[in-house]
Amino acid sequence: VGAELSDVSVAFGGVASETGEFLQVGAFRVLGVSQDDLEREFIAASEAEGDITGFEQSSIAGKDAWTASEEGMSVVLYAKDDTIYYITGDAALAEEVLAELP
């Protein structure tokens, strides 16, 4: 996307329950990069590496997102301005987190 490494910020978090439910969230901010470019490049990189494929546009918690499923877990990509959020795990927990994002 033409950014310098100094333009990139990354944060990760996660939670797991005793019953096996889990959720991981990553946020990648690239200063000055458009929401559309982040979505396009993140999806292309994920699919090129074979990590996650088959993303489809969805509406979750009133937000436009990209979703896929991989080995029984939900994968959600949501971009807002210059930040993209990568959420994996339990679909209901992912929806709760997405509802709280900007």
Side-chain angles (χ1 to χ4, degrees), residues 11-32:
F12 292 97
V15 64
S17 74
E18 292 177 6
T19 61
E21 296 171 322
F22 74 96
L23 188 74
Q24 296 174 327
V25 180
F28 302 85
R29 182 176 185 208
V30 186
L31 292 174

Side-chain angles (χ1 to χ4, degrees), residues 5-11 27-30:
L5 187 55
S6 60
D7 295 330
V8 179
S9 301
V10 179
F28 302 85
R29 182 176 185 208
V30 186

Side-chain angles (χ1 to χ4, degrees), residues 13-16 21-25 74 87-95 97:
V15 64
E21 296 171 322
F22 74 96
L23 188 74
Q24 296 174 327
V25 180
S74 175
I87 305 168
T88 61
D90 180 77
L93 293 174
E95 185 172 348
V97 168

Side-chain angles (χ1 to χ4, degrees), residues 20-55:
E21 296 171 322
F22 74 96
L23 188 74
Q24 296 174 327
V25 180
F28 302 85
R29 182 176 185 208
V30 186
L31 292 174
V33 176
S34 76
Q35 179 174 314
D36 291 338
D37 287 345
L38 281 176
E39 287 175 338
R40 183 184 66 253
E41 293 299 323
F42 204 95
I43 290 169
S46 292
E47 291 184 339
E49 292 297 317
D51 294 334
I52 308 291
T53 60
F55 282 100

Side-chain angles (χ1 to χ4, degrees), residues 52-65:
I52 308 291
T53 60
F55 282 100
E56 297 180 356
Q57 286 189 301
S58 301
S59 180
I60 303 172
K63 294 182 170 71
D64 292 330

